[in-house]
Amino acid sequence: MHHFLFARLTTRTLHYSVLLHNVTPFFTSRTLSVSSTNHRKDGTFNVFSLINSCGLSPEVALKLSRRLELKNPDGPNAVIEILRNYGFSDTQLCSLVKKIPLVLLSKPEKTLLPKLKFFLSIGFSTTDLPRFLIGNTTFLGLSLHKTIIPRYQIIKSLVHSDKEVVSTLKNDRRYFNRWMSIDAVRNVGTLRHLGVPQRSISLLVTNFPSVTFMEHSRFVEAVEKVKVTGFDPLKSNFVLAIQVLAKMNEAMWESKLMVFEKWGWSRDICLLVFKKHPQFIMLSEEKIMKILNFLMKDIGLPVENIAGCPEVLKCNLEKTVMPRFAVVEILKSRGLIKRDSKISSFIKISEKMFLEKYVIRFLKNEPLLLDAYRGQKSN
């Protein structure tokens, strides 16, 4: 049996003996020594191991030691062994025990192991599972057959595959709540009634579960706003617009529009951009002001050019927008590319493709092009 949680005690026993001397007679009278087998001679669980290995406070460790009331350490050792077999590192084991000490009281074969097997069966990897359970310890206390599997089946009915169920759970385990699951079923039913494709529904469920599982009346209100705005239910932007309007009230919407109006954007142009790229309106006012200051004041781009490629508004200004514009402006000034090149041609591509198409390709003509690009990225 693995004794990870019951090791590494000899160098720190004296420290904790002193620390605990004034806490409770339980420690001073019964746990001042640690045997070579990592548990006390009378077989009861040694509290020092938990304090040493997992950073539990003396008080918590004392309560746990009394709850365990073990004649030998085989119970918690079996729990630890199973968790290690399912990907838990020493550090992760400590994190889990510190967050939920009573996990050591689990019945290894009856309750713990079936849950771990289930999560792996639906697509969790042994790399993802420890992180997921440490962040969502509630799952370890839920009944597999009465709660976990039934709620899993509900989420599975909303999406296309187990992989998408796992993505949804990773985003936020709160949506395992029964009543929120009922709302989600009704919300997805509304989308299906409108003819929204499953790929769009899966996009909403896996990436924006807070919207999918929101109160049905609020969800329907957002859907109606999107329909009035003129979005096509057959396109993915329909659900992206829903997730935006479901999170924004009228005051927030007006506040964002006013920021764009300061830069000469009409409401019609803002609405046009919203239809192309709904999430642009979710940008912070600081981000909007900063990037428009560069694009419109420093570069001198007209509103129409930016509206034609709203994706540029979401890009990182220092790491993407400024370096790419620096390169493109040099190439334009040398007559190496057309002066009327669209923003989308160099913004909506990967960094690798940008370097190949706009930097490496012209290095013979402009050997300092790469330095200019890197210089802007490091500023």
Side-chain angles (χ1 to χ4, degrees):
M1 282 292 180
H2 179 75
H3 295 282
F4 162 66
L5 290 180
F6 311 103
R8 301 184 301 171
L9 308 178
T10 54
T11 59
R12 298 177 66 183
T13 299
L14 179 60
H15 168 75
Y16 281 112
S17 297
V18 175
L19 173 67
L20 298 175
H21 181 75
N22 296 319
V23 175
T24 172
F26 175 84
F27 293 99
T28 57
S29 63
R30 301 181 63 192
T31 60
L32 289 177
S33 64
V34 180
S35 72
S36 60
T37 57
N38 294 319
H39 56 86
R40 292 206 310 270
K41 291 182 179 180
D42 62 3
T44 52
F45 186 72
N46 194 301
V47 70
F48 287 126
S49 57
L50 284 174
I51 298 173
N52 260 359
S53 300
C54 299
L56 294 176
S57 68
E59 293 81 3
V60 172
L62 172 59
K63 290 178 181 178
L64 180 58
S65 68
R66 286 174 172 171
R67 286 289 303 273
L68 289 171
E69 296 180 349
L70 297 174
K71 292 184 179 180
N72 60 66
D74 287 348
N77 272 337
V79 169
I80 294 164
E81 188 69 20
I82 288 174
L83 291 172
R84 288 180 64 84
N85 289 339
Y86 279 79
F88 279 77
S89 66
D90 290 355
T91 301
Q92 289 170 328
L93 280 168
C94 278
S95 297
L96 182 66
V97 172
K98 189 173 183 179
K99 292 187 72 172
I100 179 172
L102 295 184
V103 70
L104 295 174
L105 290 171
S106 301
K107 296 178 180 178
E109 300 291 333
K110 186 176 180 180
T111 60
L112 180 60
L113 188 57
K115 290 174 188 176
L116 298 176
K117 286 183 175 179
F118 172 76
F119 283 120
L120 253 62
S121 74
I122 65 173
F124 276 94
S125 69
T126 52
T127 300
D128 293 332
L129 187 56
R131 290 197 295 262
F132 173 72
L133 290 178
I134 291 170
N136 305 283
T137 55
T138 304
F139 279 98
L140 293 173
L142 298 176
S143 167
L144 176 61
H145 296 287
K146 293 181 180 180
T147 304
I148 295 178
I149 292 179
R151 306 286 168 77
Y152 151 78
Q153 291 171 336
I154 290 175
I155 298 177
K156 179 66 179 292
S157 72
L158 308 179
V159 295
H160 180 69
S161 65
D162 281 343
K163 182 179 180 180
E164 293 174 347
V165 174
V166 171
S167 295
T168 304
L169 292 177
K170 284 181 181 179
N171 274 326
D172 203 323
R173 59 92 181 164
R174 290 178 300 169
Y175 308 114
F176 238 52
N177 177 284
R178 179 188 173 195
W179 300 112
M180 294 177 76
S181 296
I182 292 174
D183 277 323
V185 171
R186 297 177 68 191
N187 294 342
V188 169
T190 297
L191 297 179
R192 286 174 174 160
H193 180 73
L194 293 172
V196 176
Q198 181 58 50
R199 64 179 180 276
S200 295
I201 292 174
S202 292
L203 173 67
L204 183 68
V205 176
T206 57
N207 291 281
F208 310 104
S210 62
V211 174
T212 307
F213 289 78
M214 75 188 316
E215 186 180 79
H216 183 58
S217 60
R218 290 177 55 208
F219 185 84
V220 171
E221 183 180 346
V223 170
E224 291 302 317
K225 289 180 180 178
V226 172
K227 288 167 61 179
V228 170
T229 308
F231 282 86
D232 184 353
L234 297 179
K235 296 182 178 181
S236 59
N237 272 359
F238 187 84
V239 296
L240 293 178
I242 290 174
Q243 73 89 17
V244 169
L245 295 182
K247 295 177 181 177
M248 296 186 71
N249 56 35
E250 198 66 30
M252 292 172 63
W253 175 267
E254 287 297 320
S255 176
K256 295 296 177 69
L257 291 183
M258 288 176 64
V259 176
F260 283 98
E261 288 176 343
K262 291 178 182 178
W263 290 93
W265 291 51
S266 68
R267 298 212 162 195
D268 286 340
I269 289 181
C270 288
L271 185 59
L272 178 65
V273 173
F274 179 62
K275 287 183 178 180
K276 286 184 176 181
H277 198 70
Q279 292 170 296
F280 97 100
I281 202 72
M282 297 290 286
L283 296 171
S284 69
E285 294 184 13
E286 180 183 0
K287 164 78 170 174
I288 295 170
M289 291 294 291
K290 193 174 181 181
I291 197 160
L292 288 183
N293 183 71
F294 174 75
L295 294 174
M296 299 186 72
K297 184 178 178 181
D298 297 346
I299 300 297
L301 291 176
V303 172
E304 292 75 18
N305 285 25
I306 303 171
C309 182
E311 291 84 355
V312 69
L313 298 172
K314 289 196 68 179
C315 292
N316 185 291
L317 178 61
E318 289 79 13
K319 294 182 179 180
T320 301
V321 179
M322 293 177 69
R324 294 192 184 190
F325 268 94
V327 169
V328 168
E329 290 300 311
I330 292 173
L331 295 177
K332 286 181 178 180
S333 67
R334 304 291 195 272
L336 297 173
I337 62 172
K338 295 180 180 179
R339 299 198 67 86
D340 60 351
S341 297
K342 292 184 178 181
I343 300 176
S344 58
S345 65
F346 59 87
I347 286 295
K348 294 173 62 174
I349 57 176
S350 66
E351 181 172 19
K352 179 181 178 182
M353 185 175 292
F354 179 83
L355 287 170
E356 291 175 352
K357 188 176 180 179
Y358 292 95
V359 180
I360 298 174
R361 177 185 171 191
F362 297 104
L363 281 179
K364 288 184 179 181
N365 303 81
E366 294 293 331
L368 298 180
L369 205 56
L370 186 58
D371 291 336
Y373 178 72
R374 288 175 174 169
Q376 282 293 332
K377 286 179 74 71
S378 61
N379 287 342

